Amino acid sequence: MGVFDKITNTAKNVGSGIVSGAVKVGSNVGTSVQDNSEIAGLKMKINTIEQELDASYATIGRKYVQYVMDTGDMPGIDVSDVLKLMDPKITQKQELEKQLIEAQKRVKDADVLRAKEKAQQEFEAEKTKLDRALQMDVISQDEYNLKISIAQKKVDNFEEIRRIEAQCNMGLITEAEKNAKIASLTE
């Protein structure tokens, strides 16, 4: 009966681990979708306001051209009525742009947090693999220490490695330069 209890407990542990992992993934996806939806909505609102402002700019231009054609003179014309209509839209557009930047920052921060968590999980997986290899005498203690040190440095220098990869993606440095910089951080 003890063997069956162990099997049942192991199955429950595996099942609960899978469920908790699925919940975490679902939560991350839901948050990401919500943030991306908010960003898309803000962009649409900004675009609508820009179109309304463009129409106001066209009205000002028409008034100016009509005035010049009627008088033959090119001094200033009164467009204060159009500017009064434009002012709340310009203010609203500025507020929406601030909200957009905040939403984009939240998404970026969440992405960085997920990437950092993934780097930590990769370290834990590597450590588990190295622990097993050491216990099985597949690697020596010195090899273990070297490899675990490199893996830990990847986690410790996560931000710098991410910055270097971004430089490479932007074409600021070559792939070889990226690899050299990352190697210098992890060795």
Side-chain angles (χ1 to χ4, degrees):
M1 195 72 143
V3 172
F4 292 116
D5 290 338
K6 287 181 182 179
I7 291 172
T8 304
N9 286 338
T10 302
K12 285 180 185 176
N13 290 340
V14 169
S16 66
I18 290 171
V19 168
S20 99
V23 167
K24 185 182 272 188
V25 167
S27 174
N28 286 342
V29 169
T31 302
S32 179
V33 167
Q34 182 181 4
D35 287 339
N36 287 335
S37 175
E38 179 183 359
I39 288 171
L42 289 170
K43 284 182 178 179
M44 284 178 25
K45 287 179 182 178
I46 290 170
N47 189 30
T48 301
I49 291 172
E50 285 176 346
Q51 289 174 356
E52 292 171 356
L53 289 173
D54 286 344
S56 296
Y57 294 139
T59 302
I60 291 171
R62 280 191 210 101
K63 281 188 173 187
Y64 185 76
V65 169
Q66 187 62 46
Y67 179 81
V68 170
M69 289 174 59
D70 290 347
T71 64
D73 192 18
M74 292 184 96
I77 57 168
D78 184 25
V79 291
S80 60
D81 58 333
V82 178
L83 292 176
K84 284 180 185 176
L85 291 173
M86 291 174 66
D87 186 46
K89 292 178 183 177
I90 290 172
T91 303
Q92 184 183 15
K93 179 184 172 200
Q94 290 170 342
E95 286 299 316
L96 289 172
E97 287 172 340
K98 286 179 186 175
Q99 290 175 11
L100 177 63
I101 289 170
E102 289 171 7
Q104 288 172 328
K105 185 178 183 319
R106 274 195 318 272
V107 167
K108 182 181 179 248
D109 290 346
D111 288 345
V112 168
L113 189 60
R114 279 191 294 276
K116 199 174 225 179
E117 186 176 310
K118 182 181 176 195
Q120 184 64 38
Q121 289 172 351
E122 288 172 356
F123 169 76
E124 294 298 330
E126 182 71 12
K127 183 176 183 322
T128 301
K129 182 174 73 172
L130 290 171
D131 287 343
R132 269 192 236 132
L134 181 62
Q135 289 172 353
M136 295 170 51
D137 291 327
V138 174
I139 60 173
S140 68
Q141 185 67 44
D142 290 339
E143 289 172 315
Y144 173 86
N145 292 341
L146 176 66
K147 290 182 183 285
I148 205 76
S149 173
I150 290 172
Q152 183 63 50
K153 286 179 183 178
K154 284 181 182 178
V155 173
D156 293 345
N157 294 315
F158 172 80
E159 295 291 331
E160 186 64 19
I161 290 171
R162 190 168 162 87
R163 190 179 67 76
I164 291 168
E165 288 172 345
Q167 289 174 355
C168 182
N169 292 339
M170 293 176 70
L172 300 174
I173 60 174
T174 66
E175 187 74 25
E177 289 174 313
K178 175 189 99 166
N179 293 338
K181 286 183 175 189
I182 290 174
S184 71
L185 289 173
T186 58
E187 292 176 355

